[in-house]
Amino acid sequence: LSSQLKGSHFSLTSSIDFGARPRDWGWWPKTGRDVAEWYQEGISLSLDLLDRLPEARSILAGSIRSLWRIPSCRDALEAAASKLLKGGPWIQGWLAVRSTLNYDRKELEKNQDAYDRLRRLAEQLRPSDLLHRARAVILSHNQIYDFSDGEPDEVDAITSRIRAEELAQEIGRALAIDTSVCQQFVREVLESKEAPRAYECGRGLAEGSTDLADMWNEITATYKASNPEIRNLSLLGGFLFQAHQRDPAFCAPVLDAVAADPQLSSYLPLLQIRVAIDDNAIRRLRDAIHRQATPASAFYAISNGLIKAAPTKSLDALLKDLSTMPGGVEVAIDILHMRFYCESRSDIESAPHLIAAGRFLLKRANFAQIHGIRDYDLAGVIEKCLGDSKGQSTAIKVCRSMRGALDK
């Protein structure tokens, strides 16, 4: 079906002249009528297969942009959209039409009738209820030009992404008010492997909620009941970030409870970094290490630009605690490299005790077993911590350790 509806990019990267049997390009339409009949039959077939082929709706949607360029296909596409809408919203179709309006706007405006018809089709397909609007905006993963209301306009990719994120946050606020739709959609988001705007939706939920604690309890209960193989934590992170902006006192007891919860404790670093990375945060993370409640790999979540704000002495203690865990040395080195990188970008001189912590970690590193750290990150820490006379003894030990690892 996908091949029959393919309307552009007919090309090969190699010759078809090979093998013992004659080969050619296959059937090629000789007239415009042949083209029209081919695609009209494909559109009709996609509608006939709806009950047997769940992918038919998305396949047809993916063909809209190329088929709309063929005048004889427009009636068939409009009729197909009307039929599909009888069975419920056609989100993929709306996204495809919006994408066509944005990407092909200049070409379409040369044919005002085609342009006006496509705009009317977009309005016809636009999801009107909250649930389907939420699905279209928050769960769609490959569209960034599809969500601005009103006239399509020429904007860059960053502006379009920001618009989509703002709309996702707005929908989150609306979901916080509509509890029945909220419960259904939150479960869908949490069990979705691809929900690129779940974080912004979580922020909106925190903004619109009348009771942060009740909303958090509801979200986490749904998360715990979700399939652990596919559940998505982004919505929880967004909620905590915005809840902290709204009420800084709210998050401390929540994160303490996360640290003590067997189903959530392994995600403590990821949720903590969404709130703050201050002395209290590091105390909480160190407690999790001492109780062996969180695996070392989970601490990769704090190896990002926010680590720049971590108090130096507390960070030093956290890295040393982390190095005592299985696999913890490489994670600690990765975090320290990110801290050094952020400081170098801001022309900040690194604290002596963090440089000393780097030497401590390099001495403990088992180079025969380190697999989770990039050579670039490791080189950055080595250059920062072993570049003077104070690092000479550590440099010798590291070289011997590396040579021993290579001999193995």
Side-chain angles (χ1 to χ4, degrees):
L1 181 62
S2 179
S3 297
Q4 181 167 359
L5 291 174
K6 182 179 176 64
S8 60
H9 302 296
F10 294 102
S11 62
L12 290 177
T13 57
S14 60
S15 171
I16 60 173
D17 297 327
F18 66 94
R21 299 180 181 179
R23 290 171 170 81
D24 59 21
W25 294 92
W27 179 77
W28 192 264
K30 296 179 179 179
T31 66
R33 183 175 180 179
D34 289 340
V35 173
E37 290 178 352
W38 174 269
Y39 288 122
Q40 288 167 2
E41 286 294 327
I43 294 170
S44 177
L45 179 61
S46 67
L47 297 176
D48 293 340
L49 292 174
L50 288 175
D51 294 335
R52 289 171 286 169
L53 184 68
E55 299 89 347
R57 295 169 71 93
S58 59
I59 291 173
L60 181 57
S63 305
I64 287 177
R65 184 180 175 190
S66 59
L67 297 187
W68 194 260
R69 298 169 183 166
I70 305 172
S72 55
C73 291
R74 291 168 191 158
D75 287 342
L77 287 171
E78 289 169 336
S82 298
K83 181 174 181 179
L84 285 166
L85 285 173
K86 293 179 181 178
W90 186 25
I91 293 173
Q92 305 103 312
W94 178 65
L95 294 175
V97 170
R98 289 292 302 165
S99 179
T100 304
L101 282 167
N102 281 283
Y103 283 112
D104 297 347
R105 181 187 180 191
K106 290 182 179 180
E107 189 65 27
L108 286 167
E109 287 179 337
K110 296 176 183 178
N111 184 335
Q112 194 63 39
D113 177 67
Y115 181 59
D116 291 342
R117 288 174 68 177
L118 193 60
R119 287 186 59 198
R120 288 195 295 270
L121 183 59
E123 191 60 33
Q124 180 186 3
L125 292 171
R126 179 187 298 277
S128 57
D129 63 290
L130 179 58
L131 178 60
H132 288 92
R133 287 182 64 228
R135 288 171 175 167
V137 174
I138 294 160
L139 297 182
S140 64
H141 60 86
N142 61 349
Q143 303 286 344
I144 58 175
Y145 289 100
D146 307 325
F147 309 117
S148 56
D149 292 325
E151 294 287 337
D153 52 4
E154 296 184 47
V155 296
D156 58 79
I158 295 177
T159 302
S160 297
R161 176 181 59 79
I162 292 172
R163 285 183 179 182
E165 291 173 353
E166 289 173 347
L167 183 53
Q169 197 164 335
E170 177 186 323
I171 288 174
R173 292 193 292 270
L175 287 168
I177 299 171
D178 193 328
T179 55
S180 59
V181 175
C182 182
Q183 290 174 354
Q184 179 179 350
F185 184 67
V186 164
R187 179 175 292 279
E188 290 182 21
V189 174
L190 295 177
E191 291 190 342
S192 175
K193 287 186 177 181
E194 293 186 348
R197 298 178 188 90
Y199 183 83
E200 290 75 21
C201 179
R203 291 186 60 182
L205 286 173
E207 284 182 324
S209 175
T210 57
D211 189 312
L212 288 173
D214 283 350
M215 181 63 76
W216 173 255
N217 290 336
E218 188 173 317
I219 293 172
T220 52
T222 304
Y223 179 82
K224 293 176 186 179
S226 301
N227 184 347
E229 298 296 324
I230 59 173
R231 59 190 180 188
N232 186 325
L233 200 70
S234 297
L235 186 138
L236 278 72
F239 183 91
L240 283 181
F241 173 84
Q242 199 65 40
H244 181 68
Q245 306 300 310
R246 177 176 165 183
D247 180 7
F250 169 76
C251 289
V254 165
L255 288 168
D256 287 337
V258 167
D261 190 321
Q263 288 185 267
L264 295 175
S265 58
S266 60
Y267 305 110
L268 174 63
L270 179 59
L271 295 174
Q272 179 65 72
I273 200 69
R274 299 302 184 187
V275 175
I277 193 71
D278 54 15
D279 286 317
N280 289 330
I282 292 179
R283 172 197 56 76
R284 187 176 294 113
L285 294 173
R286 293 183 67 195
D287 287 345
I289 292 173
H290 297 155
R291 292 186 290 104
Q292 299 182 342
T294 307
S297 59
F299 286 84
Y300 277 119
I302 67 173
S303 182
N304 59 46
L306 298 175
I307 199 67
K308 175 184 174 182
T312 54
K313 292 184 179 180
S314 295
L315 179 59
D316 176 22
L318 174 65
L319 295 175
K320 290 177 179 176
D321 285 351
L322 189 54
S323 71
T324 65
M325 304 178 71
V329 171
E330 56 198 77
V331 180
I333 290 174
D334 191 74
I335 295 170
L336 186 59
H337 168 264
M338 181 55 67
R339 172 61 175 250
F340 289 155
Y341 174 78
C342 293
E343 290 175 339
S344 68
R345 292 292 299 270
S346 303
D347 294 324
I348 298 174
E349 186 174 351
S350 300
H353 49 275
L354 285 183
I355 294 175
R359 297 185 187 122
F360 172 83
L361 294 172
L362 291 169
K363 286 180 180 179
R364 293 180 65 91
N366 183 343
F367 293 98
Q369 297 180 356
I370 282 185
H371 303 294
I373 184 170
R374 297 178 301 175
D375 290 347
Y376 177 82
D377 298 349
L378 183 61
V381 174
I382 289 175
E383 183 179 1
K384 188 75 173 181
C385 300
L386 307 184
D388 58 16
S389 59
K390 294 180 181 180
Q392 183 175 2
S393 62
T394 303
I396 293 172
K397 180 175 176 59
V398 168
C399 289
R400 288 173 177 168
S401 179
M402 286 184 173
R403 180 177 178 179
L406 292 171
D407 290 340
K408 295 179 181 180

